[in-house]
Amino acid sequence: MKKSFVRAVTGAALAGLVVLGSAVPALAAPNDVVVVDEPDTSNLDNIWTFAPLGVPVLGLIQSLNGVPGRLLPS
């Protein structure tokens, strides 16, 4: 019983150190303001980037269309 209590306390302490260690970069410069610019959308008319379903559909079709030629020897 004492061993499991010591293991639980040690595990909780290590988990706390990990959480605090990961928070240090966020707390390092609290006065800095992060400015996020608008994304570059100038090249989104490309068939490889047009993705209405989250997948570039036309680019996927074009790449799958070329697979048999690459797998089979000419």
Side-chain angles (χ1 to χ4, degrees):
M1 174 98 167
K2 186 176 180 184
K3 266 189 176 178
S4 55
F5 178 73
V6 170
R7 287 182 183 172
V9 169
T10 305
L14 288 175
L17 286 174
V18 168
V19 169
L20 288 176
S22 64
V24 168
L27 298 174
N31 294 334
D32 291 344
V33 177
V34 177
V35 177
V36 178
D37 197 12
E38 293 182 14
D40 180 20
T41 58
S42 61
N43 194 18
L44 290 181
D45 55 353
N46 186 333
I47 66 167
W48 295 99
T49 57
F50 176 69
L53 302 174
V55 177
V57 179
L58 300 175
L60 178 66
I61 292 170
Q62 185 179 4
S63 65
L64 289 177
N65 192 21
V67 169
R70 292 183 183 145
L71 291 178
L72 301 173
S74 317

